Amino acid sequence: MEVTASSRHYVDRLFDPDPQKVLLGVIDMKNAVIGNNKQKANLIVLGAVPRLLYLLQQDSSGAELRTECAVVLGSLAMGTENNVKSLVDCHIIPALLQGLLSQDLKFIEACLRCLRTVFISTVTPVQLLYTDAAVIPHLMSLLSRSRRTQEYICQIFSHCCKTPDHQMILYNHGAIQNIAHLLISFSYKVQMQALKCFSVLAYENPQVSMTLVNVLVDGELLSQVFVRMMQRDKPIEMQLTAAKCLTYMCRAGAIRTDDNCIVLKTLPCLVRMCSKERLLEERVDGAETLAYLIEPDVELQRIASITDHLIAMLADYFKYPSSVSAITDIKRLDHDLKHAHELRQAAFKLYASLGANDEDIRKKIIETENMMDRIVSGLSESSIKVRLAAVRCLHSLSRSVQQLRTSFQDHAVWKPLMKLLQNAPEEVLVMASSTLCNLLLEFSPSKEPILESGAIDLLCSLTQSESPALRVNGIWALMNMAFQAEQKIKMDILRALSTEQLFRLLSDPDVNVLMKTLGLLRNLLSTRPHIDQIMSSHGKQIMQAVTLILEGEHNIEVKEQTLCILANIADGTTAKDLIMINDDILQKIKYYMGHSNVKLQLAATFCISNLIWNEEEGSQERQDRLREMGFVDILHKLTQSADPSLCDRAKTAMQQYLA
Amino acid sequence: MAELGAGSLHGGELAFNYQERELNERLKRLYPAVNEEETPLPRSWSPKDKYSYIGLSQNNLRVHYKGHGAGLCRLASKVIRVASKVIMCFVFSDHAGHGKNHKDAASVRATHPIPAACGIYYFEVKIVSKGRDGYMGIGLSAQGVNMNRLPGWDKHSYGYHGDDGHSFCSSGTGQPYGPTFTTGDVIGCCVNLINNTCFYTKNGHSLGIAFTDLPPNLYPTVGLQTPGEIVDANFGQQPFVFDIEDYMSEWRAKIQGIIERFPIAERLGEWQSVLQNMVSSYLVHHGYCATATSFARATETTIQEEQTSIKNRQRIQKLVLAGRVGEAIEATQQLYPGLLEHNPNLLFMLKCRQFVEMVNGTDSEVRCFTTRSPKSQDSYPGSPSMSPRHGASNPHLHGTGADSPTCSNGVSSGKNKQSHNKFPGLSSSSSSSSSSPSSANYSESNSTDSTKSQQHSSTSNQETSDSEMEIEAEHYSNGVLENSSTRIMNGTYKHEEILQADDSSLGNGLAEEGCTPRLLCGGNQAATERMIQFGRELQGLNEQLCREYGKNATHKQMLQDAFSLLAYSDPWNCPVGQQLDPMQRESVCATLNSAILESQNLPKQPPLMLALGQATECLQLMARVRSGSCSFARVDSFLH
């Protein structure tokens, strides 16, 4: 109550008719709010903000008063998120931006400082910086005014550059030229904020990155300036941010992955950031950036994997909160808890990148203490970020045949994975289903239990998803599942999927979906009894679909796959007739035997060869009929083919006639 | 083959010299704290400290496995020795059956153990050939560890092996450590003597800590086991693949951070008053009376010693530095009665100096005889023009005088580096003009007494002046002397540097000397006679001291040196001429100053210099007790 009364008094003084008294009132207010969140909230509730903004905007207020107003507003913005919200709601941003047009440097600096504080809050919509097109160029021009303007403006930019559009706006207004020389400023703060600007500008932006590599700062290449900032005696923050800049430039294609500044400087610097000596935040940042850097390059993955025992170092990321911190001090426990999720997901991400391509590295990762247990429990963590990272890691490791047969089986990873697939956001689903594809490979011992747990229905439902990635993964998994499977599974798949869905997938706009669907068909149509059975029940539709695809505009791979399906059908006993009675299909086969592409010729020839195979019922009639249609001449021609395998295939077929 | 050898030898030697120079430079840069006279750095493999199966070549940097039994050697080994410097050695062997078991293993150690003062030590080994099986170990071992083994298998032996990538920590069984290595790889081994750990690098990539709790005095070691294995060491002969200097910079920053943030448990303001005391006592010690007074005023501290006492000391010091030792002795006897009587050694030293200054022509005992132009009194080298030009030179004088406080405060004000650079220029360019007035002053006075009284009056002048340094220069200095007043201040530390600076200025002087030959006792006959008489008295004093206190070798030497000057026609340019250098007055002056202070129950050394000396000594001690952090805690880096 008392506080409110005194707060009231401060606000009242803002309305004093004597401008000198107003100034004194504002200065008193400034001193009263410093570090006092309650006082700040009170003043906001009592309506100080609109009055301060009014005073700030009036030229008649005088430079000193206007500056003090900006300072008080900046102080209010330093309080809670609610404070910032209230300020933004009072349209503080346009008022302050307007203030930047003043000639008075002190006032400009106070406005910038306040703007900076408002913009670095997560509750402020960054778009507000871009609503007036004149703002960015004006900020660029203010960069030359003082060290303070440099620091605040760079900080505003680095917090408000969130999208490629933002990057391009800043880029087009000469951000690079205007900020580059600040990297060698005498002020550490300016250097740091400029560096942060470059990291957000370069992120996933090839245009910015390509420009950056050619920028000279005081005669030195920018990349070399960044390398210097990564020297080990520089502050950690600087090393880490410089490493980010180079990482982003590298990933955007502006620096080669085998460049020394990446291999010998950036990578080791990021590995150091993962060490136990660093703060938890730095370790998270370091691991995530490193994961991003090495993701596409196996050589970098190999180097990282041997650097400073990185794989073992990451195991430590799972030890938070440690039992020690729980006992010794509550603050530490709180801190650890807050970062525990972040640490785990960062470690999973980095493991995923490390193990993306190299079998030896995967082996090393899995041999790390409790690794599989950690992944398994990570899959069912409450944090989506951790789940996603865990499944990414699992996916990366699931590319290893050996691991699928051993550790994956030992730890029954399929169980949490299947659970994850029941109910998860799309990005998790994509990763999880992709991992499941690998687990369903023929040699994987997990295949059986996964089937038993109702995977077929789940995968079939994925094929109906809106997302092409999920449809591909669903049908891919089914394809893997059908490979050399027993009759019952095949029939289950067909039943669960339904022929309607199968044919819908055969006309899917995504070529990957089409390819995998054809793959599924091919896998379903293998071994004679299976072929006959499936063809007897679905023959008509399948033949229709095959015709349709062979007639359609598809690439070579699709057509080849389709001809292979025909060849499989031709391998059946009763199924053969479905081709023999279909003149249209036979003409198409003939056409593809004379096609310019060897692969298609081979597949078509294979099909014919199956049809005329001796010692099978009715082979004589089929041979005769096909001879009538002119296939023998074509086969004869193909025996002269330059391609040895086609030549062989044709000769084998011809022998069937000779016998 | 001999021809080929001879042909390439010349080039080889050149390359060797170049490599040697580069090696020295790199080692100096990497390990500045190492005193190689005490603890030499490893520069090659030791031909003595190796197992017989090991062969060395290429200046003992290349190691190859030759196995046992010379008879089995299919190719002859040929050693060509040239100028006993370059050794080229071709040895090849191909023994089937080698490397089958551990008995075939053989190691070689470097010539010296790694000095602790390195702080962080690093060497690299390039695998030239993995030979038959690539059973190679790179690491460290203590002296005396069995050489018929790979590094790591025994106690006090540590190694990283190429065949399996394991690390061996004094044990026959290895631990998984890093990747394997083979032909073409460069393996580095870094010993951190601060936390006693070791890590390896492969092709410039750090592999992480391999060993902890390492014992001291380990030697770089490599071991080979199968035929054909060849490795080359780089102890700094070439740039390293791994950026070791970057790693060092991290530790340097770490340790300096620890020092800078070292917690000072104290009551409020205590630390500050200690610092103020340090500065104040330093000023007082060297007699910067006015500066000390104003410092005391600004910091509201008190000065222990009385003003007059400081001024007295200052006066005596100035007399000594001006070469007027006789007056200095007299003043001392007058102001501090009993001091010299109780210090016969000091008195003898002063008298010896006085004799030297008589030869020089600067002491008042001989100066009073010289009625000639001031020219003759100038006894300093490097003063080509000697005509007195009072008016013209006075303003200039102030200018040069102003330099002297900067110089002399070098230690405390942190500008000593600049001031050193000023030496040569100062002595040659300004000596003539600045010396003239002072000599002119003396030529006017015909007796010691009058000079003295003048001296007194000048001292009283000083009291009214704010900056004493300027006046100091005005009254005594000619250029060289001014240097010496600088030197005494700096002289307490970094003596070597100063000496060097002086040599060069002396050298300059000698070169110019031809046109103006300096004369004994200023060339005056009476002065010379007085000098000889004084010499006899000195001899007498020596004999007296011998009787009273027994023989004193130092005295004998001093006397001998001083008298030797007379044996040469040009004492300034003779083997013992060094004594005439005004710089020699410094040590005499410092000794006298300390003795006076001691007699007043004041510290004979300023606490600041004591602290500095203690810190320096402490660092040397740290190096001796193998505490590696001394290498990154340089006293210099805190004296900006």
Side-chain angles (χ1 to χ4, degrees), chain A residues 230-234 236 239 262-265 267-268 272 277-278 303-304 306-310 364, chain B residues 176-179 199 202-210 241-243 246-250 253-254:
Chain A
M230 286 192 296
Q231 278 170 14
R232 300 171 77 148
D233 53 350
K234 294 283 188 299
I236 298 301
Q239 291 185 40
I262 297 296
V263 179
L264 291 175
K265 293 291 167 188
L267 186 147
R272 289 200 301 276
E277 288 169 44
R278 303 276 72 87
I303 293 168
I306 62 159
T307 301
D308 286 340
H309 297 132
L310 177 65
K364 260 166 95 180
Chain B
Y177 167 69
F199 69 86
K202 180 182 172 182
N203 301 326
H205 298 285
S206 162
L207 304 178
I209 298 286
V241 179
F242 176 71
D243 192 346
D246 197 24
Y247 178 73
M248 287 174 154
S249 75
E250 181 180 343
K254 248 185 224 177

Side-chain angles (χ1 to χ4, degrees), chain A residues 320-591:
Chain A
Y320 292 89
S322 70
S323 47
V324 184
S325 65
I327 304 159
T328 51
D329 93 62
I330 289 294
K331 249 190 179 167
R332 167 84 191 278
L333 175 66
D334 189 48
H335 177 76
D336 284 5
L337 272 175
K338 221 184 271 171
H339 290 91
H341 297 299
E342 287 292 308
L343 281 165
R344 280 200 289 273
Q345 63 88 23
F348 280 136
K349 268 186 199 162
L350 186 44
Y351 277 134
S353 284
L354 281 166
N357 300 97
D358 187 294
E359 184 64 27
D360 287 341
I361 301 178
R362 286 186 200 123
K363 191 160 171 282
K364 260 166 95 180
I365 293 173
I366 288 175
E367 282 167 359
T368 312
E369 48 168 320
N370 302 327
M371 191 59 211
M372 287 312 287
D373 291 336
R374 277 176 183 143
I375 296 177
V376 167
S377 59
L379 289 174
S380 45
E381 266 203 42
S382 57
S383 156
I384 286 185
K385 250 181 145 179
V386 179
R387 267 187 285 160
L388 179 60
V391 74
R392 266 174 75 171
C393 181
L394 190 65
H395 178 247
S396 184
L397 299 177
S398 73
R399 292 182 187 149
S400 155
V401 174
Q402 199 205 339
Q403 299 312 328
L404 284 176
R405 286 188 173 145
T406 55
S407 3
F408 276 52
Q409 187 57 19
D410 297 345
H411 290 84
V413 290
W414 61 271
K415 275 189 198 165
L417 193 65
M418 285 300 289
K419 215 178 127 207
L420 195 62
L421 278 162
Q422 311 294 335
N423 175 27
E426 191 185 313
E427 44 180 354
V428 177
L429 271 185
V430 171
M431 266 301 153
S433 53
S434 181
T435 313
L436 197 62
C437 287
N438 292 343
L439 289 181
L440 285 169
L441 286 169
E442 143 265 354
F443 46 78
S444 161
S446 305
K447 194 172 169 178
E448 286 290 313
I450 294 174
L451 278 170
E452 283 159 22
S453 69
I456 294 178
D457 287 333
L458 189 124
L459 292 171
C460 289
S461 69
L462 282 184
T463 64
Q464 300 181 8
S465 160
E466 289 285 302
S467 147
L470 282 180
R471 291 203 301 276
V472 171
N473 286 349
I475 196 72
W476 191 341
L478 287 170
M479 178 185 97
N480 284 352
M481 194 185 271
F483 183 74
Q484 292 182 358
E486 48 189 279
Q487 179 71 1
K488 184 185 169 298
I489 295 171
K490 289 182 182 174
M491 291 316 284
D492 284 350
I493 292 173
L494 259 178
R495 196 176 313 119
L497 192 61
S498 83
T499 35
E500 290 77 26
Q501 177 61 10
L502 188 66
F503 294 122
R504 212 174 296 136
L505 291 169
L506 284 175
S507 51
D508 198 283
D510 189 319
V511 69
N512 285 320
V513 176
L514 175 56
M515 276 300 284
K516 299 298 179 231
T517 313
L518 289 171
L520 170 64
L521 259 181
R522 201 176 150 187
N523 285 350
L524 288 173
L525 293 168
S526 71
T527 73
R528 203 159 286 163
H530 296 176
I531 295 167
D532 288 338
Q533 196 185 347
I534 291 168
M535 288 310 285
S536 68
S537 51
H538 300 90
K540 209 178 139 210
Q541 296 100 312
I542 289 172
M543 290 309 287
Q544 258 177 13
V546 166
T547 314
L548 220 66
I549 291 167
L550 287 180
E551 283 172 358
E553 293 281 318
H554 289 290
N555 63 30
I556 300 290
E557 281 73 31
V558 170
K559 300 240 159 138
E560 186 199 6
Q561 190 76 312
T562 315
L563 286 169
C564 286
I565 291 171
L566 270 182
N568 278 17
I569 295 171
D571 192 36
T573 312
T574 53
K576 283 190 174 72
D577 296 340
L578 283 166
I579 299 175
M580 290 308 293
I581 56 164
N582 191 333
D583 249 8
D584 190 23
I585 284 287
L586 286 175
Q587 288 302 333
K588 287 198 165 61
I589 293 172
K590 202 172 154 186
Y591 165 74

Side-chain angles (χ1 to χ4, degrees), chain B residues 510-576:
Chain B
L510 289 175
E512 292 168 35
E513 201 198 307
C515 50
T516 54
R518 288 163 300 194
L519 297 170
L520 202 66
C521 301
N524 183 289
Q525 187 60 35
T528 311
E529 276 164 20
R530 172 77 192 108
M531 175 198 74
I532 287 164
Q533 189 200 336
F534 185 85
R536 288 201 190 98
E537 289 167 23
L538 194 56
Q539 176 78 38
L541 180 64
N542 184 35
E543 280 160 13
Q544 184 199 333
L545 289 176
C546 276
R547 279 193 301 277
E548 285 175 34
Y549 303 99
K551 274 194 177 155
N552 186 322
T554 324
H555 289 180
K556 198 180 165 194
Q557 186 63 48
M558 278 200 285
L559 204 62
Q560 201 177 330
D561 287 346
F563 289 168
S564 303
L565 285 169
L566 303 181
Y568 298 90
S569 57
D570 181 2
W572 288 271
N573 197 11
C574 77
V576 291

Side-chain angles (χ1 to χ4, degrees), chain B residues 586-604:
Chain B
E586 283 172 21
S587 61
V588 179
C589 178
T591 314
L592 179 57
N593 191 33
S594 296
I596 296 173
L597 284 165
E598 229 176 351
S599 75
Q600 308 294 300
N601 286 323
L602 290 165
K604 64 173 182 174

